[in-house]
Amino acid sequence: MNNLVILIPIALVLGLLALGAFLWTLRSGQYEDLDGAAERILHDDDSKPQ
């Protein structure tokens, strides 16, 4: 029973951190171009980055 007093708040804090990280990625635009990266890898682009 004493373990639950410690583990439940830790689980809640970790859950809130995960939710905060997910909301941060939504606001920063991580999910706006889901198909772009998958298509760019298939294009044969010979230009080298400078």
Side-chain angles (χ1 to χ4, degrees):
M1 183 69 182
N2 289 336
N3 292 337
L4 290 178
V5 173
I6 296 170
L7 292 177
I8 288 175
I10 289 173
L12 290 174
V13 168
L14 290 177
L16 288 175
L17 286 174
L19 180 63
F22 176 70
L23 292 175
W24 175 72
T25 60
L26 281 178
R27 289 186 182 181
S28 66
Q30 295 284 323
Y31 303 108
E32 289 181 358
D33 188 20
L34 294 177
D35 295 331
E39 291 178 6
R40 278 192 297 272
I41 199 167
L42 297 175
H43 295 290
D44 188 23
D45 191 12
D46 291 335
S47 65
K48 295 181 179 178
Q50 297 177 0

